[in-house]
Amino acid sequence: MKKKLLALMMGTSLVLAACGGGEDEATGGANAGDPEKLYNQKCSSCHGGDLQGGAGPKLSDVGARLSQEEIESVIANGQGSMPPGLLKGEDATAVAEWLAGKK
């Protein structure tokens, strides 16, 4: 029983780390407002540090395929295996605007 609980806790920790969980809310997020830093913190583990993809699709030309509003909708609602709400509010808007410029 203890092994199963430990495995569950470790698995959950890995998922949260891979999806950018664990933000320090006391500081309001040290990267608040900087879209590139927010992307690197929350998105690059799946979409790649160079926007070329990995577990998630490449985003280097996402602005040619989707509008800022569509990108923000994907961030808010998730899509495919991407969970919803990794970024919220102004952070989601800033990253969507930054990504929309990638053409």
Side-chain angles (χ1 to χ4, degrees):
M1 178 70 177
K2 287 183 181 181
K3 287 183 181 181
K4 288 182 182 181
L5 181 59
L6 180 60
L8 178 64
M9 290 174 57
M10 290 185 71
T12 302
S13 296
L14 288 173
V15 169
L16 287 175
C19 293
E23 178 180 315
D24 183 4
E25 293 180 21
T27 63
N31 296 323
D34 185 335
E36 193 167 357
K37 286 183 180 178
L38 288 164
Y39 171 86
N40 286 328
Q41 180 184 17
K42 299 285 189 170
C43 312
S44 64
S45 62
C46 292
H47 294 286
D50 58 0
L51 303 165
Q52 291 302 313
K58 76 175 190 160
L59 299 177
S60 59
D61 62 349
V62 70
R65 295 178 278 129
L66 300 173
S67 70
Q68 178 181 338
E69 292 78 19
E70 291 170 321
I71 295 168
E72 194 166 350
S73 175
V74 170
I75 293 169
N77 302 312
Q79 184 172 331
S81 62
M82 179 177 160
L86 291 178
L87 294 167
K88 297 178 182 170
E90 292 178 12
D91 290 345
T93 300
V95 171
E97 181 179 5
W98 178 70
L99 287 172
K102 306 294 180 192
K103 299 184 185 221

